[in-house]
Amino acid sequence: MRDWRSDPTFAMCRAVADGADLASFSGGAYDVRAVVAGILPESRRDRSLDAVPWGNFPHGPDVPEAVEHLRADGEPGMDATGVLWGLCANDSRAAAALAVPFLIPLATAPRHPHHTDALGVISGPARARHSGVASREELLLHRTDPARHAPDGDDDYGYEVTGYPAGWSVAASRAAITADTPALLPLLGSLDSAVRVDTAYALAAAADPDRVVRTAQAAGFAAERDAMVRAAFLLATAEITRAHTHPPTAAWLHERWNDRAEAPEVRLVAAIGWLCLTDAPAPEELRRTVDNFADDERAHTMEALPWMSTASGTNEPGLLRCKRLMLHPEDPDSEAIFWDSLF
């Protein structure tokens, strides 16, 4: 990757760091939301990548080659998904967000050889500040609050490592997913369980004021027999509900974790989802349920759920991290212990 300080956007980031109003750059050439909005009305399946100003964004020139390799019918000549995930892991999502509108047509083409790779990647830039986050206050939270943040100002996402506004990258990615919600929804019924999980995760990032996605996730849960996929549908429903309040869903989650006929994986994520949607104290029965089922073996198995894998910390699977932070905050932090041991 090239030095991001040579990108044109660096001047904007420096200006904002020096006190310029971020809103003054809204809608301009360096606003990834505006660029993605200009792509969305078009058919992206065969659109030339050369028409997109990749060079305006940090590490942007690295992205179109990765997208082109995923578009190819044969074996990719590079680790294309690694490039895109690497940008997200390195907290530099803007250019990866710009790729999302081009990846969704691949993700929704089941016969394309790389459709599962594309589906797995589109969720990355749609979430920020989520890696290792497992607390009741922050898990499943979409951090842009219209009641507290101007749409073109600073928000709880802060800034990426390059200085680019992280909330703009997240908003652009979510806008792309929202625009293609009708194309993604059928994948919730895929014969491939991993596709159903990844689709649930992607759609949980969509705007859903009309509850179309929530309804589809709940219907998928009702029809699903695979416990891990049922857990994914449930977590997706909880995440959407945290963004679009719906009290009956919290009551439904309460019923799920309290239902002894449910699989342990489902009861566990229902308990976690319920804790994220309410400020009520954790009932003793919920504590017993989580303590009984959340063992090391199950925690490692549940890392297959992207919510859990992203909540994990050093030497601590996501499920156990959620259990500790939500129900046993007095317990020692294994990640802090690990890092302290290095110094």
Side-chain angles (χ1 to χ4, degrees):
M1 291 184 181
R2 12 182 129 175
D3 186 344
W4 57 268
R5 288 170 294 186
S6 65
D7 295 318
T9 323
F10 181 60
M12 181 194 83
C13 298
R14 280 294 302 270
V16 171
D18 291 341
D21 183 3
L22 178 60
S24 66
F25 296 97
S26 175
Y30 308 126
D31 184 345
V32 69
R33 301 171 303 173
V35 177
V36 166
I39 297 171
L40 291 180
E42 306 288 341
S43 172
R44 283 93 63 199
R45 190 178 306 278
D46 299 315
R47 184 176 179 182
S48 171
L49 299 176
D50 295 336
V52 178
W54 303 99
N56 282 7
F57 299 94
H59 306 305
D62 300 309
V63 174
E65 183 182 4
V67 174
E68 201 60 72
H69 278 277
L70 284 174
R71 279 178 159 186
D73 290 335
E75 285 297 318
M78 63 183 294
D79 183 7
T81 56
V83 170
L84 297 167
W85 272 116
L87 289 172
C88 297
N90 292 330
D91 192 28
S92 183
R93 294 172 177 81
L98 196 53
V100 173
F102 296 96
L103 295 175
I104 293 178
L106 301 182
T108 55
R111 295 185 179 180
H112 194 283
H114 308 308
H115 85 97
T116 56
D117 293 328
L119 178 62
V121 168
I122 62 176
S123 302
R127 294 170 171 86
R129 290 179 57 192
H130 68 291
S131 183
V133 170
S135 69
R136 189 174 180 179
E137 294 75 23
E138 293 191 292
L139 187 70
L140 308 180
L141 182 65
H142 296 178
R143 291 172 175 78
T144 301
D145 183 353
R148 297 190 298 116
H149 305 126
D152 296 320
D154 294 328
D155 56 37
D156 283 350
Y157 286 108
Y159 292 85
E160 297 176 0
V161 68
T162 60
Y164 194 80
W168 287 12
S169 301
V170 171
S173 303
R174 288 189 170 148
I177 292 171
T178 300
D180 271 328
T181 290
L184 287 163
L185 282 171
L187 296 183
L188 293 175
S190 169
L191 296 177
D192 186 334
S193 61
V195 168
R196 299 198 298 278
V197 169
D198 285 346
T199 303
Y201 189 56
L203 284 169
D208 190 38
D210 298 325
R211 302 175 187 166
V212 173
V213 177
R214 180 195 285 117
T215 299
Q217 302 274 22
F221 176 87
E224 185 61 55
R225 294 295 173 262
D226 185 306
M228 200 69 73
V229 183
R230 281 170 66 81
F233 283 139
L234 198 151
L235 278 169
T237 304
E239 182 175 348
I240 294 166
T241 303
R242 188 151 201 182
H244 303 282
T245 304
H246 186 237
T249 296
W252 177 69
L253 289 169
H254 186 284
E255 294 172 2
R256 298 286 68 73
W257 68 253
N258 209 27
D259 186 351
R260 296 176 184 274
E262 287 284 8
E265 294 81 4
V266 174
R267 295 185 70 187
L268 284 166
V269 299
I272 290 169
W274 183 83
L275 287 169
C276 290
L277 294 182
T278 177
D279 295 328
E284 192 56 39
E285 180 61 27
L286 181 147
R287 291 177 177 273
R288 283 196 295 269
T289 297
V290 175
D291 286 342
N292 287 341
F293 291 134
D295 56 27
D296 285 344
E297 182 178 357
R298 184 165 284 117
H300 284 290
T301 300
M302 290 179 67
E303 288 291 281
L305 296 173
W307 293 269
M308 294 295 98
S309 62
T310 54
S312 64
T314 304
N315 297 328
E316 187 175 32
L319 176 64
L320 298 186
R321 190 171 179 83
C322 289
K323 171 185 171 181
R324 177 174 60 81
L325 291 176
M326 294 184 183
L327 299 176
H328 302 288
E330 72 283 356
D331 287 355
D333 183 342
S334 60
E335 185 165 6
I337 292 172
F338 171 79
W339 287 108
D340 287 346
S341 70
L342 300 180
F343 302 101

